[in-house]
């Protein structure tokens, strides 16, 4: 019986992920990936006329899946499940190497709850789900073969592949560098960290060389790397202190304190492994100052091992160490939650946590016929119109807008949607040759808005859909009135169709 115990978390993960395959198309981030993927399939150039702020892998993955003759929801959720199970297996292997079989099973159980369920919004198909696999794989290869330089390079290369999903995964690599610093003298630290870093940057350099070959390097660097600094919360304060300053100070104190205690042989190497990985991922998760639940997915990797080891310690380590471990986890967790839920956006995280159980009970109601598919879709409150109108009575706006577009026969035609509903491109079977997420449009970026208007003027998309959360900038409606006529209005959306010559 014992040898089969390790399979239980994996079976649980598969079963608990079944409802994910039956969601509506509702989540904005994955809608952006789908819209960009459709455009790539129609010849658009990433970072040139199709703009978002992540590296290429997530967009090209969606582009490939959109070519398959099956539902994009099924294909993305299947790939997401495969990556999740792969990451869970690597957590088992890492815990077994660093600790023992019992910690490995417990860590997998914790991971299946944190990432298998919807508690951290893992069902959205975000980049975190995919880069976590590369982070775990990199750590596993390093600790398995840390005495062989070529495998240190391979471990870095694997993490570099994860960077091409999202740059945040670099902090899992930063953990490896710190771990090397703790465990080796300076010469070996320099050699090993250099080889590992060389492995990390290799895929990135290949990616940038390709962009250089198509004369797109400056755009790629700007949108993939430099624009991500805008996510760092420079002005966010916590009791009057900059969040960046707090992060750096706490990180520095924990690293220095851990190093001192480790050299004094007060902390075991296994504990250092857990501490460094946890604080490295916590640092980047907290740095943005934005309490988006899916950011916590990156932290789920070390937390699964930390909680697994803490549960194990309740029964198998001396009493004083047991209570000390639990106290440290509770203090850290409490402070983390207070810090994470400190601003006006915290309601989104709270809404996701409170919706976790209803997500599954509503699916059961759908499965047994108690509610209709439309009523089931109403429960996804992000499947609504503008952010301040997120309520069930306005749900399914993505489908409403898609049906409006279909009425104008837009399939396989170039369209432009001035609204924050990117799923409408995929659902209507259309695409855009110029796409900016709303993050690039709001504020004072007049040059960006002027550029969009100039591209619209050059391409004259078949239809323009304007919604009341869209961006109204100078010249837009002058352009629309000159070349388009009002075709139809539905639920706050105005559809303008190109005039005949």
């Amino acid at each position: 019986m014992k040898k089969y115990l390790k399979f239980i978390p994996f079976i649980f993960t598969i079963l608990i992920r079944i409802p994910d395959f039956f969601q509506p198309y509702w989540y904005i981030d994955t809608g952006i990936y789908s819209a960009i993927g459709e455009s790539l399939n129609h010849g658009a150039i990433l970072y040139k006329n199709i703009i978002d702020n992540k590296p290429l892998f997530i967009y090209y993955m969606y582009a490939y899946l959109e070519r398959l003759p099956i539902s994009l929801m099924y294909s993305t959720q299947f790939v997401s499940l495969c990556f999740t199970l792969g990451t869970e297996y690597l957590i088992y292997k890492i815990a077994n190497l660093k600790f023992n079989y019992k910690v490995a099973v417990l860590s997998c159980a914790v991971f299946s709850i944190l990432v298998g369920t919807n508690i951290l919004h893992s069902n959205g198909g975000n980049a975190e789900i995919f880069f976590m696999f590369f982070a775990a794989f990199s750590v596993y290869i390093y600790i398995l073969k840390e005495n062989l330089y070529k495998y240190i390079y391979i471990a870095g290369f694997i993490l570099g592949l994860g960077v091409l999903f999202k740059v945040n995964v670099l902090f899992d690599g930063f953990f490896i560098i710190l771990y090397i610093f703790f465990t080796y003298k300076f010469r070996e630290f320099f050699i090993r960290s250099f080889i590992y870093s060389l492995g990390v940057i290799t895929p990135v350099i290949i990616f940038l060389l390709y962009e250089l070959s198509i004369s797109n390097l400056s755009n790629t660097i700007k949108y993939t790397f430099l624009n991500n600094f805008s996510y760092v919360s420079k002005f966010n304060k916590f009791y009057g202190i900059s969040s960046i300053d707090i992060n750096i100070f706490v990180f520095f104190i924990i690293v220095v304190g851990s190093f001192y205690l480790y050299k004094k042989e007060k902390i075991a190497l296994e504990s250092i492994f857990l501490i460094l990985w946890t604080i490295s991922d916590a640092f980047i998760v907290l740095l943005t100052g934005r309490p988006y639940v899916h950011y916590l997915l990156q932290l789920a990797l070390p937390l699964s091992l930390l909680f697994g080891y803490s549960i194990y310690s309740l029964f198998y380590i001396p009493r004083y160490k047991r209570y000390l471990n639990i106290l440290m986890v509770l203090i850290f967790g409490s402070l983390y939650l207070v810090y994470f839920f400190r601003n006006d956006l915290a309601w989104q995280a709270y809404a996701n946590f409170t919706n976790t159980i209803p997500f599954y009970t509503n699916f059961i109601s759908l499965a047994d016929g108690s509610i209709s598919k439309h009523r089931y879709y109403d429960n996804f409150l992000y499947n609504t119109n503008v952010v301040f109108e997120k309520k069930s009575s306005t749900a399914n706006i993505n489908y409403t807008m898609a049906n409006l577009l279909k009425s104008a026969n837009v399939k396989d035609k170039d369209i432009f949607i001035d609204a924050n509903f990117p799923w409408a491109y995929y659902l209507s079977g259309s695409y855009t040759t110029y796409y900016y997420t709303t993050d690039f449009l709001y504020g004072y970026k007049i040059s960006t808005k002027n550029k969009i208007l100039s591209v619209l003027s050059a391409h004259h998309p078949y239809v323009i859909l304007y919604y009341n959360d869209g961006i109204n900038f100078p010249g837009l409606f002058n352009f629309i009135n000159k070349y388009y006529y009002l075709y139809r209005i539905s639920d706050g959306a105005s559809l303008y169709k190109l005039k005949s010559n």
Side-chain angles (χ1 to χ4, degrees), residues 38-59:
E38 284 283 2
S39 298
L40 292 174
N41 286 332
H42 285 86
I45 300 175
L46 190 60
Y47 313 121
K48 190 170 186 178
N49 48 13
I50 302 296
I51 309 296
D52 198 24
N53 58 4
K54 291 183 180 66
L56 76 166
F57 274 5
I58 189 70
Y59 308 114

Side-chain angles (χ1 to χ4, degrees), residues 403-420:
N403 289 333
L404 178 61
L405 289 166
K406 287 178 181 178
S407 71
N409 190 28
V410 299
K411 184 174 175 58
D412 292 326
K413 290 184 171 66
D414 182 15
I415 72 173
F416 182 74
I417 301 175
D418 191 358
N420 198 22

Side-chain angles (χ1 to χ4, degrees), residues 164-198:
L164 296 183
F165 274 100
K166 194 172 181 179
V167 296
N168 296 40
V169 76
L170 282 172
F171 279 79
D172 292 280
F174 184 57
F175 147 67
I176 290 293
I177 301 297
L178 279 176
Y179 187 67
I180 296 172
F181 176 75
F182 271 65
T183 51
Y184 290 94
K185 293 183 178 180
F186 181 78
R187 183 177 181 276
E188 276 298 306
F189 160 72
F190 178 81
I191 294 172
R192 291 166 184 270
S193 59
F194 176 80
I195 293 172
Y196 184 80
S197 300
L198 185 63

